[in-house]
Amino acid sequence: MEKRNLTLLTDFYELTMMYGYFKEGKTDEVAVFDVFFRQNELITYSLFAGLEQAVDYVLNLQFGESEIEYLRSLNAFDEDFLNYLSNLKFSGDIYAVPEGTMVFPGEPILTVKAPVIEAQLIETALLNILNHQTLIASKAAKIVRSAKGDTVMEFGLRRAQGPDAGIYGTRASIIGGCNSTSNVLAGQNFGVKVAGTHAHSWVMNFPTEYDAFKAYAKVYPDSVTLLVDTYDTLKSGVPNAIKVFDEMVKEGKKPVGIRIDSGDLAYLTKRARKMLDDAGYDYVKICASGDLDERLVQSLKQQGAKIDVWGIGTKLITSADMPSLGGVYKLAGIVENGKVIPKIKVSNNTVKITNPGFKTFYRIYDKATGKAQADLIALKDEKFDFTSPITLYHPIERWKSMTFDNYEVRELPICIIKDGRLVANLPPVNEIADYAKGEMDSFWDEYKRLDQPEIYKVDLSDGLYELKTTMLDKIRKS
């Protein structure tokens, strides 16, 4: 895509804080910030997405002449600060889990360690990018899982909240498991498969439905899928499609499918399947679309609907039932004399109390099954003996514990940017999608079900728990 300078894609208060740090002489102070999301009833896990765009944004930060001139016009900053900004580049470190990783509430899925002015500047854009793509990838994963191996096409571009939401929503949908997209620009940008046939307007443009189908089959004789619900799906649409298919077969061609976009999809697809089978077209696929989401897909599967391909638009690209992930960016520490001094945000709401310090987290897998068992959030410099049995404790109710002995461990966050330079491989979208599928497969079904899923265990290490409780006790006593 065409490069844009996104440096001013930030909230104004990030700039006012930067100016305050500058005036306080804190330009060299290094801070640690974590990106994580909180649990709610609609989302207990996510597929992490958007890292490539986040990295691209960070590495291309630049206050050019037009940006400086605009900030000057606000009369909020002095010339010394504007001169400082004109030379600003990101010089810090970023750690993150690989794109497509299955992640859970409270986990530091991305950590920034950088001069506080730089770290403060990038907060808004990082959340904008990561919140959106992670939200859509997670929604796609639920829909794909409900489809149980059927083909899922994403075509929500016309209902997305703007071009960027459509383009990057498509990217996230592919990471979440969709097989193709209707979005041609996204297909070009990310190298993913594009798909689509014709609309109702094509059918309405011809004297008869049969004429429309015949004309389309003439144009695309090797890949024809016909939209059969413009007038009457069962009385005219399917019969006319079969008539055209008969003509195609006589010419040595093989029809691909029909699409139904409205009505009782369970009833219509079962009837259409029988009609196609009776006519000798048991190989012709039935595609269904029309405001579908994971729950409707699941319901239609349970009703025995004869659907091979699912076209998902509005409710995927907008994540209609939960339009915001709610990811946050919180200060975890300040570096003094090479040592991280932990910071904590306190709240009367327990879930909003942050985990202090420079952290990482580990995933524990059962060796026998390869399935993920639990995650452990820990201080980055904390040492563990992963060759011996390990006991994890609930992050709040410490009397709840679980011991693992036949296990493997994987540290999930890796260094992505070091001293302002990219040091990790950023794979293409299709590779990320393959990785994400493996991630989903590595978790038991009870963690992924739509209704009352089992809550995956995300525990705090002893060191992190003790640090957190000590800091809370000190604050409460002060």
Side-chain angles (χ1 to χ4, degrees), residues 418-474:
K418 182 68 177 175
D419 299 327
R421 295 184 179 182
L422 181 66
V423 296
N425 176 49
L426 299 177
V429 173
N430 287 322
E431 288 185 20
I432 298 171
D434 288 341
Y435 168 76
K437 183 180 184 303
E439 280 287 285
M440 291 288 290
D441 289 344
S442 71
F443 285 81
W444 295 108
D445 288 344
E446 54 261 39
Y447 299 120
K448 299 176 288 185
R449 64 189 177 217
L450 296 181
D451 295 311
Q452 297 183 321
E454 181 71 14
I455 301 302
Y456 182 74
K457 297 173 181 62
V458 178
D459 296 333
L460 303 185
S461 68
D462 289 343
L464 178 55
Y465 177 78
E466 290 169 8
L467 172 64
K468 186 174 184 177
T469 54
T470 298
M471 293 182 72
L472 287 173
D473 287 343
K474 184 177 179 180

Side-chain angles (χ1 to χ4, degrees), residues 301-374:
K301 297 285 283 188
Q302 291 170 346
Q303 294 173 62
K306 301 300 182 180
I307 299 170
D308 307 292
V309 181
W310 304 83
I312 314 291
T314 304
K315 292 185 178 180
L316 167 55
I317 206 68
T318 64
S319 187
D321 59 343
M322 194 186 77
S324 174
L325 180 71
V328 295
Y329 184 92
K330 297 298 181 183
L331 180 69
I334 297 293
V335 178
E336 295 181 3
N337 299 318
K339 182 180 179 181
V340 176
I341 307 303
K343 300 291 182 177
I344 188 170
K345 177 188 178 296
V346 180
S347 172
N348 289 328
N349 186 343
T350 302
V351 75
K352 290 192 173 184
I353 299 175
T354 61
N355 291 319
F358 190 18
K359 299 175 294 297
T360 187
F361 69 101
Y362 304 89
R363 183 153 294 161
I364 297 173
Y365 298 87
D366 180 72
K367 270 189 178 180
T369 63
K371 297 291 188 182
Q373 300 288 90

Side-chain angles (χ1 to χ4, degrees), residues 58 260 267 320 397 478:
V58 168
I260 303 174
Y267 171 75
E397 301 164 353
S478 63

Side-chain angles (χ1 to χ4, degrees), residues 5-18 21 30-35 50-51 53-63 81 85 88-96 110-131 327-331 416-418 420:
N5 188 343
L6 299 179
T7 304
L8 293 184
L9 184 65
T10 191
D11 291 311
F12 186 61
Y13 84 161
E14 310 287 15
L15 292 166
T16 61
M17 285 189 285
M18 291 170 67
Y21 289 134
V30 173
V32 177
F33 284 85
D34 291 327
V35 174
L51 180 61
Q53 284 67 47
V55 166
D56 183 71
Y57 156 76
V58 168
L59 294 181
N60 287 285
L61 284 173
Q62 181 179 14
F63 287 90
F81 180 61
L85 291 183
L88 184 69
K89 297 283 188 181
F90 185 79
S91 63
D93 306 337
I94 291 182
Y95 300 81
L110 184 143
T111 296
V112 176
K113 184 182 181 185
V116 66
I117 282 185
E118 300 171 20
Q120 199 70 69
L121 171 64
I122 65 178
E123 172 184 3
T124 302
L126 286 183
L127 289 178
N128 174 274
I129 294 166
L130 299 176
N131 267 324
V328 295
Y329 184 92
K330 297 298 181 183
L331 180 69
I416 305 296
I417 295 175
K418 182 68 177 175

Side-chain angles (χ1 to χ4, degrees), residues 63-129:
F63 287 90
E65 291 183 7
S66 63
E67 288 75 29
I68 294 296
E69 186 57 37
Y70 172 71
L71 294 180
R72 182 179 287 117
S73 74
L74 300 178
N75 296 315
F77 314 109
D78 65 23
E79 287 300 315
D80 287 343
F81 180 61
L82 295 178
N83 288 334
Y84 173 81
L85 291 183
S86 67
N87 296 303
L88 184 69
K89 297 283 188 181
F90 185 79
S91 63
D93 306 337
I94 291 182
Y95 300 81
V97 301
E99 276 202 87
T101 299
M102 197 160 167
V103 291
F104 297 87
E107 297 180 332
I109 54 181
L110 184 143
T111 296
V112 176
K113 184 182 181 185
V116 66
I117 282 185
E118 300 171 20
Q120 199 70 69
L121 171 64
I122 65 178
E123 172 184 3
T124 302
L126 286 183
L127 289 178
N128 174 274
I129 294 166

